[in-house]
Amino acid sequence: MKEETAIFAGGCFWCMVKPFDQMPGIKKVVSGYTGGHVANPTYEEVCSGTTGHTEAVEIIFDPEVVSYQQLVEIYWQQTDPTDAFGQFADRGDSYRPVIFYASLEQKSVAEQSKEQLQASGHFKAPIVTAIESAQPFYPAEEYHQAFYQKNPAHYNAYSEGSGRKGFIRQHWDA
């Protein structure tokens, strides 16, 4: 079986796991940190804003079952691609939306998808999600992994209270 990696940042990593976790072809979704200048940062360090990291998910997938293009399309529907300064209630660089590409092919797919979303008129504001080269990815602490399964009440209250679920309903649900 062939495996590839996708890394997406879309605000709180808790909310970025579930949409990908149960899809066919997904082998693993890990919450973590990427894009910073400190090796093996802790959650507290990332939240302090001093490490330069962004909360993200690393997705290990089988490209023969699910394509990178499909993952990018799902990614868009979990975020507000017009907000470069965080996502929903989570503000700041550690919550900025980013597609981190692992290859030139992934970069091309992400850029084309971004252009198509902008041209679609789905959003009136510009699509500002960054597309950047993948950096070292550091898994978050164990209590952050699969949070939606471990703490469903907290997860559901957070994803609703943060404004994420309402935004998705308003902009993506038909």
Side-chain angles (χ1 to χ4, degrees), residues 6-91:
I7 300 175
F8 300 130
C12 176
F13 48 34
W14 291 347
C15 296
M16 293 298 294
V17 173
K18 186 177 180 180
F20 298 100
D21 198 36
Q22 299 172 350
M23 290 181 57
I26 301 299
K27 301 302 170 195
K28 182 166 51 167
V29 182
V30 179
S31 295
Y33 318 108
T34 192
H37 56 269
V38 174
N40 297 305
T42 65
Y43 180 70
E44 289 75 20
E45 289 172 329
V46 172
C47 288
S48 76
T50 61
T51 69
H53 288 90
T54 302
E55 286 192 15
V57 290
E58 179 183 64
I59 302 166
I60 309 301
F61 68 100
D62 180 346
E64 294 178 7
V65 178
V66 61
S67 71
Y68 184 73
Q69 173 70 40
Q70 290 171 296
L71 296 179
V72 170
E73 289 171 12
I74 292 165
Y75 167 79
W76 291 126
Q77 296 180 32
Q78 310 313 310
T79 67
D80 176 354
T82 68
D83 185 353
F85 301 107
Q87 290 290 280
F88 314 106
D90 297 310
R91 311 310 302 156

Side-chain angles (χ1 to χ4, degrees), residues 115-174:
E115 289 170 12
Q116 289 171 349
L117 181 58
Q118 184 67 64
S120 75
H122 194 89
F123 292 95
K124 302 214 182 325
I127 305 302
V128 296
T129 298
I131 298 173
E132 300 176 4
S133 179
Q135 303 297 314
F137 182 89
Y138 301 99
E141 295 80 354
E142 183 56 34
Y143 70 94
H144 289 299
Q145 304 304 328
F147 191 83
Y148 78 96
Q149 292 174 324
K150 294 176 183 175
N151 296 287
H154 187 167
Y155 167 80
N156 287 327
Y158 177 80
S159 60
E160 190 69 56
S162 69
R164 182 181 297 265
K165 279 189 177 178
F167 182 89
I168 292 170
R169 277 192 301 269
Q170 180 182 358
H171 292 279
W172 295 108
D173 292 349

